[in-house]
Amino acid sequence: MACVSLSSLFFSPRESTVSLGLNRETRRNICMSPIGFRTIQKNRRVRFSGCRAASVVFRNLDADDFRHPLDKQNTLILRAIPGLNEVGKALLGTIAEQVMLLENIGTSVLVSKNQLAGLHQLMVEAAEILNIEAPDLYVRQSSVPNAYTLAISGKKPFVVVHTSLVELLTRKELQAVLAHELGHLKCDHGVWLTFANILTLGAYGVPGLGGLIAQSLEEQLFRWLRAAELTCDRAALLVAQDPKVVISVLMKLAGGCPSMADQLNVDAFLEQARSYDKAASSPVGWYIRNAQTRQLSHPLPVLRAREIDEWSRSQEYRTLLSRAIQVNMVQKA
């Protein structure tokens, strides 16, 4: 079956065949990042409190209010591809839908008010802040910290979080991850990514020009996906309302583990991002940087950290936050 894997939290390098950078083991498990971390400490327990991570909500929030400019640009390009929507629907089919649905029901734990209630509350709060209906949430046993979203036309979308990610992050950081995944749903990323992925996989099987068409579509898809991730990092910030929380998630995914989590420094990671920009500013550095990122489904973590830091200090973000506070004040009055 073709892999219909959507919006994983972290990046993965591209393979010789089109699979959105996912290896064979990954495709068998629907979506798993190939980046590994140390074994989780056995006696470490994660507890969730009932207090809110943020104090404001966005009642009239539209996806374009926080969509990254590169996301807007690349989405327009995808929409211009003739028949992408129709072909994707035809290729997906009801059997693939059932396989993916049963895969998660059979191998994961469905979160609810009566099952992992604290985690359920984090999702509900994040969805409320972003003014979106909360999707189903599953927790899946895996030593690879990751989270991903699956959206199938006509079906309720769901988010899957790996147990090792829950162990690695704080409560606020975990909610930022859920908000990132909600950003994909808010912006309808899942539908486009599913259709484009299936169409690309199908094109590779067409003799002659099929491979060339697939390669071209894949490159465009990766450009769009990297831009979409920047948008969803913004969604995470709208929920966390603290850039250091979002940047800390990126830092931990780049090089963290539970035993070292409290020793990581966000400011030092941002300085690392600035040094990367400086090193990549030369003509040779620019070429290497583009060659490096072209093989990834997600932007480099240091670049994502820099982007969210800059947006947190922008007038656009301050205007959004001010609008949300005004709505909240009206509700309390």
Side-chain angles (χ1 to χ4, degrees):
M1 186 194 77
C3 171
V4 188
S5 52
L6 309 187
S7 62
S8 61
L9 177 67
F10 210 50
F11 69 87
S12 53
R14 181 168 55 182
E15 295 179 279
S16 57
T17 57
V18 178
S19 60
L20 289 185
L22 304 177
N23 57 29
R24 186 174 302 172
E25 179 66 20
T26 297
R27 293 193 290 272
R28 192 174 67 210
N29 290 297
I30 295 186
C31 181
M32 295 177 69
S33 166
I35 299 175
F37 286 78
R38 287 178 55 185
T39 302
I40 304 302
Q41 295 173 343
K42 294 182 179 180
N43 296 327
R44 187 173 182 272
R45 294 185 178 181
V46 179
R47 300 180 185 276
F48 300 98
S49 60
C51 60
R52 296 184 66 91
S55 59
V56 300
V57 296
F58 300 86
R59 286 301 180 205
N60 301 309
L61 183 68
D62 185 80
D64 286 336
D65 291 337
F66 62 92
R67 196 188 300 269
H68 194 279
L70 291 176
D71 185 7
K72 294 179 181 179
Q73 175 184 337
N74 285 279
T75 297
L76 289 176
I77 295 175
L78 276 184
R79 286 176 176 171
I81 300 176
L84 176 61
N85 195 319
E86 291 74 16
V87 173
K89 288 181 179 179
L91 289 174
L92 184 54
T94 57
I95 295 179
E97 292 178 355
Q98 289 299 314
V99 168
M100 288 180 286
L101 179 63
L102 292 175
E103 170 73 13
N104 278 278
I105 293 178
T107 62
S108 309
V109 174
L110 176 61
V111 176
S112 67
K113 292 181 180 179
N114 301 319
Q115 183 72 273
L116 301 174
L119 189 57
H120 175 262
Q121 186 62 27
L122 291 182
M123 173 62 86
V124 171
E125 289 174 1
E128 181 183 0
I129 293 170
L130 293 176
N131 192 30
I132 184 174
E133 181 182 355
D136 287 337
L137 175 61
Y138 290 89
V139 175
R140 186 168 189 159
Q141 186 67 241
S142 175
S143 61
V144 182
N146 199 18
Y148 56 92
T149 304
L150 192 63
I152 302 173
S153 180
K155 303 288 185 179
K156 186 175 182 179
F158 58 86
V159 173
V160 179
V161 176
H162 289 174
T163 52
S164 53
L165 187 66
V166 177
E167 294 281 354
L168 179 64
L169 303 180
T170 66
R171 177 184 180 278
K172 289 184 178 180
E173 292 166 353
L174 186 58
Q175 187 170 54
V177 167
L178 297 178
H180 175 101
E181 299 304 322
L182 287 172
H184 285 296
L185 298 175
K186 182 78 175 180
C187 298
D188 290 328
H189 287 160
V191 174
W192 286 105
L193 185 54
T194 303
F195 293 167
N197 190 16
I198 297 175
L199 181 60
T200 304
L201 286 167
Y204 263 107
V206 178
L209 295 178
L212 294 177
I213 296 173
Q215 183 178 359
S216 175
L217 181 56
E218 181 193 20
E219 290 177 357
Q220 178 55 48
L221 175 58
F222 270 66
R223 282 195 294 270
W224 169 80
L225 180 54
R226 290 192 295 268
E229 291 302 315
L230 298 178
T231 292
C232 294
D233 287 343
R234 291 182 173 191
L237 178 59
L238 289 177
V239 170
Q241 292 160 28
D242 181 354
K244 288 192 173 183
V245 172
V246 182
I247 295 169
S248 181
V249 173
L250 299 170
M251 178 178 58
K252 288 181 177 180
L253 287 172
C257 66
S259 63
M260 297 192 303
D262 58 349
Q263 303 176 46
L264 292 170
N265 187 311
V266 169
D267 293 327
F269 191 66
L270 282 173
E271 185 59 35
Q272 179 182 335
R274 298 184 188 101
S275 66
Y276 181 88
D277 284 336
K278 184 177 180 180
S281 61
S282 67
V284 175
W286 179 88
Y287 176 81
I288 295 174
R289 170 179 168 175
N290 279 274
Q292 183 181 25
T293 57
R294 189 165 54 244
Q295 299 175 1
L296 301 176
S297 62
H298 289 51
L300 295 172
V302 290
L303 299 183
R304 292 172 69 180
R306 182 207 61 195
E307 282 281 338
I308 205 64
D309 178 60
E310 291 179 353
W311 194 64
S312 71
R313 292 182 278 106
S314 69
Q315 183 59 45
E316 181 183 9
Y317 173 69
R318 287 195 295 268
T319 299
L320 274 176
L321 200 59
S322 175
R323 192 179 78 186
I325 292 173
Q326 291 174 2
V327 170
N328 199 45
M329 289 173 62
V330 171
Q331 286 181 330
K332 288 183 177 180

